[in-house]
Amino acid sequence: MNVTLAVKQYVTRMIEDSGPGMKVLLMDKDTTSIVSMVYTQSEILQKEVYLLERIDSQNRDNMKHLKAICYLRPTKENVESLIQELRRPKYSVYFIYFSNVISKSEIKALAEADEQEVVAEIQEFYGDFIAVNPHLFSLNLQGVARGRSWDPTMLARSTQGLTSVLLALKKCPVIRYQLSSDMAKRLAESVKLIITKEYELFDFRKTEVPPLLLILDRSDDAITPLLNQWTYQAMVHELLGLNNNRIDLSRVPGISKDLREVVLSADNDDFYANNLYLNFGEIGTNIKNLMEDFQKKKPKGQQRLESISDMKAFVDSYPQFKKMSGAVSKHVTVVGELSRLVAERQLMEVSEVEQELACQNDHSSAQQKVRRLLRLPGVCELDAVRLVMLYALRYERHSNSALPAMMEELAKRGVSEKYRKMVHSVVEYGGKRVRGSDLVTATDAVAITKQFLKGLKGVENVYTQHQPLLQDTLDQLVKGKLRDAQFPYLGASSLRDRPQDVLVFVVGGATYEEALCVYNLNRSVPGVRIVLGGTTVHSTKSTQHQEVLVLPTVLTTVLTTVHSTKRY
Amino acid sequence: MASSYPPPFEGTGEVKEGFICPLCHKDLQSFYQLQDHYEEEHSGDDRHVRGQLKSLVQKAKKAKDKLLKRDGDDRADTGSYESFYYGGVDPYMWEPQELGATRNHQDYFKKHRAARIDHYVIEVNKLLIRLEKLTSFDRTNSDVAKIRAIEKSVVPWVSDSDVPFCPDCGNKFNIRNRRHHCRLCGSIMCRKCMDFVPLPLAYKLTSGTRESLCIPGSPGQSQAPPSGAGASGMGSRRGSLSSLSSVTSMLEEKDDEKIRCCHHCMDTLLKRQQKLEERDHMPDIVKLYERLRMCMDKVDEKAPEYIKVAESLNAGETTYNLDSAGGLRLEVQKYYELIDALSKRILTLGMKDDPAPTPKSLHLQKMIRYTATLFVQEKLLGLMSLPTKDKYEALKEKRKQEQEKKLQQERLAAQESMRKRQESEKNRSVATTNGEVPPAPKPPRMTKAGGWLPSADSKKTHSELKDPLLQQIDNIQSFLRQAREAQRTDEVAMLEENLRQLQDEYDQQQTSLAIALSQKLAQEENLQQGEIQRLEARERSEWEQRAPAADSRQPSSIWECSLDLGEPVAGYVEEDKIGEVTPKFERSPLSLRAFPALAGQEESPPRLRSLGGHVTPPSSEGPNSSSLNPFEEDSTPTEEDPSNPFFEDIQEEHKEVSNGKKEYNPFDDEEDNGGQEEPAATSLGNPFEEESSETSNPFTEASGDSPGVSTNPFEGDEDAGALADIDMIEEELLLQQIDNIRAYIFDAKINGRLDEVELLSANLRELQHTLQEQKKTH
């Protein structure tokens, strides 16, 4: 059930199949990101892959002494490029792997182009998704919807991605979907169709309890992606932008040259791996420990190495020292930058109000706080808009709504028309009318008591009170209590026992908060393995251009949705 | 030297059999102990499957950590960010899964490709056969009509009337745009769409197929190559001519040096040519790269081996030899240098060539170099240093002590638990007596060392006192026996090799010792001779004076005595093989003469003492042994005792001494050996050294008036040797450190960490300074 490992094993196998010798890896745009999430450059170099090339790049030279490993999505363009490549081969031998099912006719076309007999291998390796964490994958698809229904190409792509996950994990699941969402149902049907069509591929060893695929819709919980996150991974993604495991730190004031761009990968960075899911405060402590630890080991400049044994100790510990110093400087920089941003954008205060909006039921205090924050100059445009969105979603039908006043405040702040309009778009996207389950106010007696008890106990951490809706859904699911009426099975088969292997897919994108919640569920519930996926993982986008307002992807989703609603 | 003895049984690397706790892998001595342990420690444990699974998962994680980090830095506070488990499993620790689903299209692909390829191959071969026919006659000397006839015979030409337009460009043929036939396929096209196969190319292409395609009945087949060479030479000469003529006569041209063909045929031929070229061509980078990979493979093979050895040595084990480890280290380092050099050459490959290498190949070279540096960096830094000689000895000693302690503890614990159990059971009265009896199976019997066990006949006391080299030789010989019995020829060969090396070393040691010893003896003898002459002179005069007073019985007893003394000495010398025969002969007369003197001078104690001083050296040829031999020590006072008036007593004592010596000869011999080895291989913390200095021969001290023997010659030697050795080791260590630091500087430079480079070079300077100082003082 480890998606990272699944992709990594595919790539490793490809490289190993090609035998010894210098290699070039030919990829397309998508597979480049797929591979780069599981392999670092130095790792892949160790496997004799010295060049990474794009199949569509024109300036590749003839290098007959290289073996080519092609890892491509089976798109028309890729097949065409490959045919051209085979007609005039630039490398000595080709090992071709498609990331998904390819048609017979395309294989034939390729075979006929291979007049020089350079193709040694042609296979399907189903790594057609981006493995973010062992339990989290993304398809990196933006704007999957046209109004309330699928963009056909996106549906096809999502189906491909989802089936490839199933194939990579060797699961032939029973499917459940969210009834209130038409998109979820369409995707479920589409996946089912593929499973039926490619029944030979999905013929895996039967397990006692069949795996489960649960398809949800983002619009059911539009609040979660609007909240500021406080776990290390989520913060790095939200505030700094993690692109293929790399963070661009070039905008950090006074950054040194070798820290302009740092790699953060849980695979070979212990500190990151251990702190992925810890919140900001805990990371602070750990960073301090790391520093102290380092200080202890660090031979001070003035501290003379008096004796030979001193020197020997120093020299012996040097490799570790060096490695550590790299890790320390990296994480100190990253955390430093994060805390700078937090202070600059007054995220603590913003987050507190966000959490109150999301979790508590005190309208007057909430609206006062929101309006106070809207007047603060430090709060950035995006956070202001998000606060108003949250308010709008939360108190959508409140009799005494302060929304118009807030919109005015936004206008006063100089927030552009476009963003102000998005407040309404969000309500349209994830408002009460759309939601299948009730997001904020509990309806049944059990839930009410639960909320009441929670209120009595008080909250441990004001910044992390919010629990995503997914938590509740999955809780019920693993207990076997998820209601069939809300999440029906597709087809006749249904699960009588508690599920063991669960794949959750969120149409419209998952969030890091949900990833954290799935992570914790995995750790706390014995015998259950849950993998979360989404058409995307919501995080800040295009941090490269400073002048552009940082726009969470959920807003892009909303934007495309709403625009297309208007168009159609 | 005793410290360097391998412990009687080796602890690590061996697989212990018997009572190991399944949960914590603690080694327990007996069944009872294990049971106790289990009840005490693990009774609270969750014995549920989940618990087991958890520990398995943790182990898996540890393994994973190891894999990922390679040189795992065990930070003390890793625990603070270590995640703990609530019952579920962290997704990072999900058990490994098999490779995901795959589907192979190979067969389908090959089927379709084969159809295509067959067609293609036939086409190419057809063209080649025709080309060969077209080039197999002497074109230059034939007239146009004849050439045309031959050409037409090779392939039927499409008739002009059938093709009104050029099939390629669609232009209409007329008087200006004439039709041209492809000589290879017979098709028609216009001038613009025409191509030419130059004759050299044609020969090249056909030469490859001539052997493989062996067309029967092809007339020009055999004479083609020579004519080809000639034709190509002529062709180039005529090229200018024909180009001239083609300018003058646009309409009528004679293509005797090239063959007309269409684009399609040309394409096919060119592809064919490219393939031929690539087949033979192997770029330099590939050659270098292959060598580079070979070195890397070697390192991959050797480095773990070295690390294993170094770890074992650093732990103070005696499984491996320090010197051979040093050799291995050197070898690995040499490979690193080679890798560095090779990758550098790859990096600069083609830099000076005129058409500079393409950016992509430059990138490739850069990446290879980068990988090589990464490789060196990672592996070289992981190479731990070896302990220095004296440190190694210290380590060994420490380890030995630890093992003994552990063993003792285990034994105690075993006894304790045994007693406890028996008390709790309250079974029989026998139990109380049994309680004192340690569990029967002794650790040596339980060991299952990787190789052969030293045979049991080598006794503990024996081995402890022996020279380590000899012991090693003994061990190896017993291994050899065992290996031979087991008929493992490869191991036998290896062991024999080892044995030979050891023996060589031992022989060398012995000869150098012998040389040193003989020199010393020669010195002594010189001194003695001088003394003897002096004494003789005096004796003679005294003898002459006192001759009448001498008892008739006395001479015989003196003779006896001298014989008693002389015998062991002789035995000594022979056994030691140190020896020249001369000292023995020299000595016996000495004792012969000395004792008469001694006997005759009862009333002159000072003389006696001085004489005694002269007598002893022969008796203790290995001076150390005299100090260690308790009997000799006993005897010395009596000999020394000037006030002892009873000559008989002395004689008796002497007899005792000689008897004792005879009895303990083997023992003595060994001690002697041990003593002799010392200067050659010094070790700190050598108990012998202490002993010898503590119990330094009181006798020799007493006989201070004769310089030749007054101090134990070995003692002085030892000290000096030890000092020199320490210096040497220090130097060695320094050199090693310098090497290491250089490697780190190299590494730091590559990474552009200037501050570290500075720090390191400061260290380096300091080290070099120290080294020089040390050399000066040396």
Side-chain angles (χ1 to χ4, degrees), chain A residues 150-162:
Chain A
W150 280 98
D151 176 330
T153 57
M154 290 299 179
L155 176 62
R157 176 70 188 91
S158 299
T159 312
Q160 278 185 328
L162 202 45

PDB file of all heavy atoms in Angstrom, chain A residues 150-162:
ATOM      1  N   TRP A 150     -17.624  16.672 -14.962  1.00  0.00           N
ATOM      2  CA  TRP A 150     -16.231  16.488 -15.357  1.00  0.00           C
ATOM      3  C   TRP A 150     -15.910  17.144 -16.683  1.00  0.00           C
ATOM      4  O   TRP A 150     -16.708  17.114 -17.608  1.00  0.00           O
ATOM      5  CB  TRP A 150     -15.934  14.998 -15.497  1.00  0.00           C
ATOM      6  CG  TRP A 150     -15.678  14.293 -14.213  1.00  0.00           C
ATOM      7  CD1 TRP A 150     -16.571  13.573 -13.502  1.00  0.00           C
ATOM      8  CD2 TRP A 150     -14.446  14.230 -13.528  1.00  0.00           C
ATOM      9  NE1 TRP A 150     -15.983  13.058 -12.385  1.00  0.00           N
ATOM     10  CE2 TRP A 150     -14.645  13.439 -12.375  1.00  0.00           C
ATOM     11  CE3 TRP A 150     -13.181  14.755 -13.747  1.00  0.00           C
ATOM     12  CZ2 TRP A 150     -13.643  13.171 -11.457  1.00  0.00           C
ATOM     13  CZ3 TRP A 150     -12.176  14.483 -12.839  1.00  0.00           C
ATOM     14  CH2 TRP A 150     -12.412  13.701 -11.701  1.00  0.00           C
ATOM     15  N   ASP A 151     -14.703  17.661 -16.769  1.00  0.00           N
ATOM     16  CA  ASP A 151     -14.106  17.937 -18.059  1.00  0.00           C
ATOM     17  C   ASP A 151     -13.722  16.560 -18.613  1.00  0.00           C
ATOM     18  O   ASP A 151     -13.008  15.814 -17.943  1.00  0.00           O
ATOM     19  CB  ASP A 151     -12.862  18.798 -17.824  1.00  0.00           C
ATOM     20  CG  ASP A 151     -12.092  19.078 -19.091  1.00  0.00           C
ATOM     21  OD1 ASP A 151     -12.135  18.221 -19.989  1.00  0.00           O
ATOM     22  OD2 ASP A 151     -11.443  20.123 -19.167  1.00  0.00           O
ATOM     23  N   PRO A 152     -14.192  16.201 -19.812  1.00  0.00           N
ATOM     24  CA  PRO A 152     -13.994  14.820 -20.286  1.00  0.00           C
ATOM     25  C   PRO A 152     -12.536  14.364 -20.276  1.00  0.00           C
ATOM     26  O   PRO A 152     -12.236  13.246 -19.861  1.00  0.00           O
ATOM     27  CB  PRO A 152     -14.527  14.855 -21.713  1.00  0.00           C
ATOM     28  CG  PRO A 152     -15.370  16.055 -21.801  1.00  0.00           C
ATOM     29  CD  PRO A 152     -14.927  17.022 -20.751  1.00  0.00           C
ATOM     30  N   THR A 153     -11.627  15.233 -20.708  1.00  0.00           N
ATOM     31  CA  THR A 153     -10.214  14.811 -20.709  1.00  0.00           C
ATOM     32  C   THR A 153      -9.727  14.573 -19.287  1.00  0.00           C
ATOM     33  O   THR A 153      -8.933  13.664 -19.032  1.00  0.00           O
ATOM     34  CB  THR A 153      -9.315  15.862 -21.380  1.00  0.00           C
ATOM     35  OG1 THR A 153      -9.500  17.096 -20.683  1.00  0.00           O
ATOM     36  CG2 THR A 153      -9.643  16.037 -22.836  1.00  0.00           C
ATOM     37  N   MET A 154     -10.216  15.410 -18.380  1.00  0.00           N
ATOM     38  CA  MET A 154      -9.796  15.267 -16.989  1.00  0.00           C
ATOM     39  C   MET A 154     -10.353  13.986 -16.375  1.00  0.00           C
ATOM     40  O   MET A 154      -9.695  13.340 -15.568  1.00  0.00           O
ATOM     41  CB  MET A 154     -10.266  16.467 -16.162  1.00  0.00           C
ATOM     42  CG  MET A 154      -9.532  17.738 -16.496  1.00  0.00           C
ATOM     43  SD  MET A 154      -7.763  17.590 -16.179  1.00  0.00           S
ATOM     44  CE  MET A 154      -7.190  19.175 -16.684  1.00  0.00           C
ATOM     45  N   LEU A 155     -11.571  13.667 -16.790  1.00  0.00           N
ATOM     46  CA  LEU A 155     -12.143  12.416 -16.287  1.00  0.00           C
ATOM     47  C   LEU A 155     -11.291  11.239 -16.758  1.00  0.00           C
ATOM     48  O   LEU A 155     -10.975  10.331 -15.977  1.00  0.00           O
ATOM     49  CB  LEU A 155     -13.586  12.259 -16.774  1.00  0.00           C
ATOM     50  CG  LEU A 155     -14.261  10.938 -16.381  1.00  0.00           C
ATOM     51  CD1 LEU A 155     -14.358  10.813 -14.874  1.00  0.00           C
ATOM     52  CD2 LEU A 155     -15.642  10.819 -17.005  1.00  0.00           C
ATOM     53  N   ALA A 156     -10.928  11.295 -18.025  1.00  0.00           N
ATOM     54  CA  ALA A 156     -10.101  10.210 -18.561  1.00  0.00           C
ATOM     55  C   ALA A 156      -8.776  10.124 -17.820  1.00  0.00           C
ATOM     56  O   ALA A 156      -8.338   9.044 -17.414  1.00  0.00           O
ATOM     57  CB  ALA A 156      -9.862  10.435 -20.051  1.00  0.00           C
ATOM     58  N   ARG A 157      -8.186  11.293 -17.630  1.00  0.00           N
ATOM     59  CA  ARG A 157      -6.885  11.306 -16.946  1.00  0.00           C
ATOM     60  C   ARG A 157      -7.008  10.823 -15.498  1.00  0.00           C
ATOM     61  O   ARG A 157      -6.169  10.070 -15.005  1.00  0.00           O
ATOM     62  CB  ARG A 157      -6.310  12.726 -16.989  1.00  0.00           C
ATOM     63  CG  ARG A 157      -5.011  12.912 -16.236  1.00  0.00           C
ATOM     64  CD  ARG A 157      -3.860  12.217 -16.932  1.00  0.00           C
ATOM     65  NE  ARG A 157      -2.647  12.234 -16.104  1.00  0.00           N
ATOM     66  CZ  ARG A 157      -2.318  11.286 -15.250  1.00  0.00           C
ATOM     67  NH1 ARG A 157      -3.110  10.236 -15.081  1.00  0.00           N
ATOM     68  NH2 ARG A 157      -1.203  11.358 -14.544  1.00  0.00           N
ATOM     69  N   SER A 158      -8.067  11.264 -14.806  1.00  0.00           N
ATOM     70  CA  SER A 158      -8.256  10.843 -13.424  1.00  0.00           C
ATOM     71  C   SER A 158      -8.477   9.338 -13.351  1.00  0.00           C
ATOM     72  O   SER A 158      -7.969   8.670 -12.443  1.00  0.00           O
ATOM     73  CB  SER A 158      -9.459  11.554 -12.807  1.00  0.00           C
ATOM     74  OG  SER A 158      -9.258  12.936 -12.815  1.00  0.00           O
ATOM     75  N   THR A 159      -9.249   8.827 -14.308  1.00  0.00           N
ATOM     76  CA  THR A 159      -9.486   7.392 -14.334  1.00  0.00           C
ATOM     77  C   THR A 159      -8.176   6.645 -14.527  1.00  0.00           C
ATOM     78  O   THR A 159      -7.879   5.679 -13.820  1.00  0.00           O
ATOM     79  CB  THR A 159     -10.443   7.036 -15.486  1.00  0.00           C
ATOM     80  OG1 THR A 159     -11.551   7.917 -15.431  1.00  0.00           O
ATOM     81  CG2 THR A 159     -10.908   5.607 -15.379  1.00  0.00           C
ATOM     82  N   GLN A 160      -7.388   7.123 -15.482  1.00  0.00           N
ATOM     83  CA  GLN A 160      -6.079   6.491 -15.720  1.00  0.00           C
ATOM     84  C   GLN A 160      -5.218   6.516 -14.468  1.00  0.00           C
ATOM     85  O   GLN A 160      -4.635   5.505 -14.083  1.00  0.00           O
ATOM     86  CB  GLN A 160      -5.342   7.243 -16.832  1.00  0.00           C
ATOM     87  CG  GLN A 160      -5.770   6.850 -18.219  1.00  0.00           C
ATOM     88  CD  GLN A 160      -4.920   7.555 -19.255  1.00  0.00           C
ATOM     89  OE1 GLN A 160      -4.471   8.681 -19.047  1.00  0.00           O
ATOM     90  NE2 GLN A 160      -4.697   6.889 -20.375  1.00  0.00           N
ATOM     91  N   GLY A 161      -5.182   7.689 -13.842  1.00  0.00           N
ATOM     92  CA  GLY A 161      -4.355   7.827 -12.652  1.00  0.00           C
ATOM     93  C   GLY A 161      -4.800   6.883 -11.559  1.00  0.00           C
ATOM     94  O   GLY A 161      -3.988   6.160 -10.968  1.00  0.00           O
ATOM     95  N   LEU A 162      -6.087   6.864 -11.333  1.00  0.00           N
ATOM     96  CA  LEU A 162      -6.619   6.056 -10.247  1.00  0.00           C
ATOM     97  C   LEU A 162      -6.432   4.564 -10.528  1.00  0.00           C
ATOM     98  O   LEU A 162      -6.051   3.797  -9.638  1.00  0.00           O
ATOM     99  CB  LEU A 162      -8.105   6.400 -10.050  1.00  0.00           C
ATOM    100  CG  LEU A 162      -8.739   6.083  -8.705  1.00  0.00           C
ATOM    101  CD1 LEU A 162      -7.832   6.519  -7.570  1.00  0.00           C
ATOM    102  CD2 LEU A 162     -10.073   6.799  -8.590  1.00  0.00           C
TER     103      LEU A 162
END
